[in-house]
Amino acid sequence: MVKVPVPGKSVRGSKSGSPIMAMFDLLGRRWAMGVLWTLSEQGPLTFRALQDACETISPAVLNSRIKELRTAGFVELGDNGYLVTALGAEVYEALLPLSRVSTAWAEAIAQLESAETKTTD
Amino acid sequence: MVKVPVPGKSVRGSKSGSPIMAMFDLLGRRWAMGVLWTLSEQGPLTFRALQDACETISPAVLNSRIKELRTAGFVELGDNGYLVTALGAEVYEALLPLSRVSTAWAEAIAQLESAETKTTD
DNA sequence: TAGCACGCTATTGAATTCGTAGCACACTAT
DNA sequence: ATAGTGTGCTACGAATTCAATAGCGTGCTA
């Protein structure tokens, strides 16, 4: 039995189960976004290939996340391994802006650190 | 001492600390996205107001998330309570597409359930 | 001095995650 | 048939994280 957040049911952050809060509950778990991201970028991957791609994920957690993402309808198991569904691809697309911001974030931090080195310019 | 993922350092999913993986590590924690979302939508909120807005978050976790989000530079404490920074606002904007997808997701699930009721149309 | 609201911490127990080992199954080559 | 390999996946104990509640220290008001 897997406990997966579903929009419409009570989830963390919303007793009414507003879709965005259900999404946050589902994706706000360790590795959830990373697995979806990796699977979207590196095409169909077997369980072990996916595990390798995630570098440090344990099979237990990977299995949990896969079950959750499959229940949510974001991921499915094909002949060549796991792959994202059409809906999962949409989620991936929705994550792209976050990637852009993360780059800006990294640059902001890099500047902060170089500023520290020269005692605040 | 707070352990916050930072792009460039080793984070979950990437030893090299790729920005997106650092972002996933930071936002992929319980309530992280929910707090940022709530704060972005409901303007400056005091600690307790924010806690109420999140319905079921405990002060310990809220405090942790706030510290992490402040360290990341997404949130700051102003005169009228906590509010998102410019960078935090960008993250919120980047989360908007996810909100749209979550609605589509909710509709897909609603259809699945009504389909179940009438034994697959 | 007694309330009260603020941000926040301490504590204890539950839930989640981690890391490792290994199972059951299928396919292949010997 | 038997050994080897790769598959998805599970079990287990330890470590980490989270939850729920109580309460601290401060500043304000009366």
Side-chain angles (χ1 to χ4, degrees):
Chain A
M1 177 54 188
V2 198
K3 195 172 51 183
V4 181
V6 168
K9 314 272 180 174
S10 179
V11 295
R12 249 188 296 267
S14 168
K15 269 171 280 185
S16 55
S18 84
I20 186 62
M21 284 302 167
M23 185 69 96
F24 285 164
D25 193 357
L26 177 66
L27 295 184
R29 300 181 178 188
R30 286 239 160 63
W31 284 108
M33 288 187 286
V35 166
L36 187 63
W37 185 269
T38 304
L39 221 45
S40 296
E41 298 224 309
Q42 303 182 26
L45 288 175
T46 68
F47 189 94
R48 281 162 206 265
L50 183 53
Q51 187 181 352
D52 286 345
C54 290
E55 295 187 25
T56 61
I57 195 174
S58 71
V61 174
L62 177 55
N63 191 31
S64 296
R65 291 301 94 86
I66 286 179
K67 277 181 184 168
E68 293 161 6
L69 291 174
R70 287 181 74 175
T71 303
F74 296 170
V75 162
E76 62 187 356
L77 179 56
D79 290 338
N80 299 317
Y82 291 100
L83 48 91
V84 295
T85 64
L87 189 54
E90 282 186 55
V91 178
Y92 169 70
E93 303 268 335
L95 250 31
L96 287 177
L98 204 57
S99 175
R100 213 176 25 77
V101 174
S102 73
T103 312
W105 177 42
E107 285 168 5
I109 292 210
Q111 291 205 353
L112 275 183
E113 298 208 335
S114 71
E116 267 176 21
T117 309
K118 35 182 175 175
T119 53
T120 311
D121 188 47
Chain B
M1 178 54 190
V2 198
K3 196 171 52 182
V4 181
V6 168
K9 314 272 180 172
S10 180
V11 295
R12 247 186 296 267
S14 168
K15 269 172 280 186
S16 55
S18 83
I20 186 62
M21 284 302 167
M23 184 69 95
F24 285 165
D25 194 356
L26 177 66
L27 295 184
R29 299 180 178 189
R30 224 149 247 144
W31 284 108
M33 289 187 285
V35 166
L36 187 61
W37 184 269
T38 303
L39 220 45
S40 297
E41 298 225 308
Q42 304 182 25
L45 287 175
T46 68
F47 189 93
R48 282 163 205 263
L50 183 52
Q51 188 182 351
D52 286 345
C54 289
E55 296 187 24
T56 61
I57 195 173
S58 71
V61 173
L62 178 55
N63 191 31
S64 296
R65 290 301 94 85
I66 286 179
K67 276 181 185 169
E68 292 162 7
L69 291 174
R70 287 180 74 174
T71 303
F74 296 170
V75 162
E76 63 187 356
L77 179 55
D79 290 337
N80 298 318
Y82 291 101
L83 48 93
V84 295
T85 64
L87 189 54
E90 282 187 55
V91 178
Y92 169 70
E93 305 265 336
L95 250 31
L96 285 177
L98 204 57
S99 176
R100 252 177 274 123
V101 174
S102 73
T103 311
W105 177 42
E107 285 168 4
I109 292 207
Q111 291 205 353
L112 274 184
E113 299 208 334
S114 70
E116 267 176 20
T117 308
K118 37 183 172 174
T119 53
T120 311
D121 188 43

